[in-house]
Amino acid sequence: MQIVINGALPEPAIARELIKHLPQKAPALIQLLTQGTGTLSVRDPATDLCTPAQSWLLQAHGFTGDQAQHLSAGLAPLRLRQLKQIHSVAPDQPVWLAELVHIAPSREGAMLIPADQLALSESYSRALLQAIAPYLDDTGFQFEYLSPEWWRVTPPADFTVQAASTELVSQSNLNNWWTQDVQTRPWRRLINEFQMLAFALPDNRQREQAGLPSVNSLWLFGGASCQQLGREPGDLHLVDDLHDSLIRQDWGLWLEQLAQLDRTLLAPLLTGPMPELVLTGLDRYAHVGPAARRIWPFSLFKQPSNWSQWWSPLS
């Protein structure tokens, strides 16, 4: 069993303060980390164009990127696999997806709210697609409904873009990630058209009246093909409970959520075989697996794992 706990690896300076609370809040986690062997991987989200959790998931699915691709290119075929629709496209065909998002003004510029925070319905998503469909004829883009959150996009033959994941973009100013080169100009024109249509859509006015954020933009990502994925891993569980409190740096809430996870998810695992744990943060992830078996008599002198060295490094 592989368990990915997204948000369980705070930045080192914060981790050194939080670690003193772990014996009380997360005794089961400490026991698992002590029993296992941990390996820390530091990532550069500006290079990967995705979060460390997504980076690890792509690695777990055996994604191999081309030289010209950022790691985030693999998120589109990965999404098809997760939706059980990977066989709907040719294995060597580049996969592009548009995520339905809300862009909100902020003091820093603009913030993106991903689809998974918008509670979208199929009927609402299809209404948006129907509204934009008549305007696609001369753009070179084609849209196809995939799910309430994502549409499959067929771009013009010569189109490409290096796009960050919406999860990464939502953590900071949108302007840091918005590509405005000549190559992406056709897409930006289409987005401007979509924003005007979405503004006038009755469904969006109803959402606003209900206090819900409307879909007012699309975020394009992908570019890799399904054949660039490897074998699908089995028995993998992604836990997002800690992610939002880590992003907001609400450490009181983070500790309470960790304590809840420790009681309900991790403590029951102590009676069985050591699982594989993956703890992720903003720029790193740690993989913790069963410690290698030692040959007698060396097993008599086995030392517990010093997990604190990578969970809260001094530098």
Side-chain angles (χ1 to χ4, degrees):
M1 176 187 296
Q2 293 180 312
I3 300 176
V4 183
I5 307 180
N6 191 12
L9 205 59
E11 296 176 78
I14 299 298
R16 290 194 290 274
E17 294 298 319
L18 294 174
I19 197 170
K20 64 186 72 171
H21 300 283
L22 295 191
Q24 177 188 1
K25 296 292 187 179
L29 174 62
I30 288 181
Q31 188 170 337
L32 290 170
L33 297 182
T34 302
Q35 292 174 355
T37 300
T39 303
L40 183 68
S41 296
V42 178
R43 307 299 305 184
D44 181 5
T47 299
D48 292 345
L49 295 185
C50 61
T51 67
Q54 292 171 325
S55 171
W56 187 87
L57 282 174
L58 287 166
Q59 176 184 316
H61 283 261
F63 175 70
T64 303
D66 294 340
Q67 271 192 338
Q69 290 175 336
H70 290 267
L71 194 58
S72 65
L75 292 174
L78 176 60
R79 185 64 67 187
L80 281 188
R81 170 176 280 180
Q82 292 170 330
L83 292 172
K84 309 299 182 185
Q85 298 194 41
I86 194 168
H87 299 298
S88 64
V89 298
D92 61 346
Q93 183 177 358
V95 179
W96 294 94
L97 299 182
E99 182 168 336
L100 282 65
V101 300
H102 178 83
I103 294 177
S106 71
R107 294 179 180 178
E108 292 77 24
M111 296 296 295
L112 180 145
I113 302 177
D116 63 3
Q117 298 180 28
L118 298 179
L120 304 177
S121 67
E122 178 176 348
S123 60
Y124 174 67
S125 181
R126 288 189 181 276
L128 286 168
L129 182 57
Q130 184 177 4
I132 190 63
Y135 297 86
L136 297 177
D137 293 342
D138 299 326
T139 67
F141 291 92
Q142 297 179 6
F143 292 166
E144 175 186 351
Y145 178 85
L146 191 63
S147 75
E149 297 84 9
W150 298 282
W151 300 341
R152 186 171 162 229
V153 178
T154 302
D158 59 346
F159 179 86
T160 189
V161 62
Q162 303 286 358
S165 71
T166 56
E167 184 173 344
L168 179 61
V169 174
S170 67
Q171 297 176 11
S172 63
N173 190 340
L174 170 67
N175 296 334
N176 296 334
W177 308 101
W178 182 246
T179 304
Q180 300 194 46
D181 55 19
V182 174
Q183 183 72 17
T184 59
R185 188 176 296 163
W187 176 255
R188 298 200 307 274
R189 284 199 296 264
L190 180 57
I191 291 303
N192 289 337
E193 189 69 42
F194 176 82
Q195 289 173 335
M196 290 186 288
L197 290 168
F199 179 78
L201 194 69
D203 300 63
N204 266 342
R205 291 199 295 271
Q206 292 173 7
R207 285 180 65 90
E208 291 169 359
Q209 291 170 359
L212 298 172
S214 61
V215 171
N216 59 12
S217 192
L218 303 171
W219 190 265
L220 183 68
F221 66 98
S225 63
C226 295
Q227 67 182 8
Q228 292 177 250
L229 294 176
R231 180 179 300 178
E232 185 172 5
D235 205 9
L236 189 155
H237 303 273
L238 178 62
V239 181
D240 277 326
D241 299 43
L242 303 176
H243 176 67
D244 287 344
S245 55
L246 177 80
I247 296 298
R248 297 198 303 268
Q249 299 189 16
D250 186 342
W251 303 118
L253 177 61
W254 186 90
L255 284 169
E256 292 307 314
Q257 291 172 329
L258 179 63
Q260 175 72 11
L261 281 178
D262 199 74
R263 292 189 298 268
T264 60
L265 175 66
L266 300 181
L269 299 176
L270 297 176
T271 59
M274 171 76 188
E276 292 185 57
L277 296 178
V278 179
L279 312 180
T280 73
L282 297 179
D283 65 351
R284 62 195 65 208
Y285 64 76
H287 177 267
V288 183
R293 298 184 64 181
R294 292 172 178 256
I295 301 174
W296 187 92
F298 301 103
S299 59
L300 298 176
F301 305 100
K302 179 181 177 182
Q303 297 295 320
S305 168
N306 194 357
W307 57 271
S308 61
Q309 290 184 351
W310 55 259
W311 197 85
S312 59
L314 294 176
S315 61

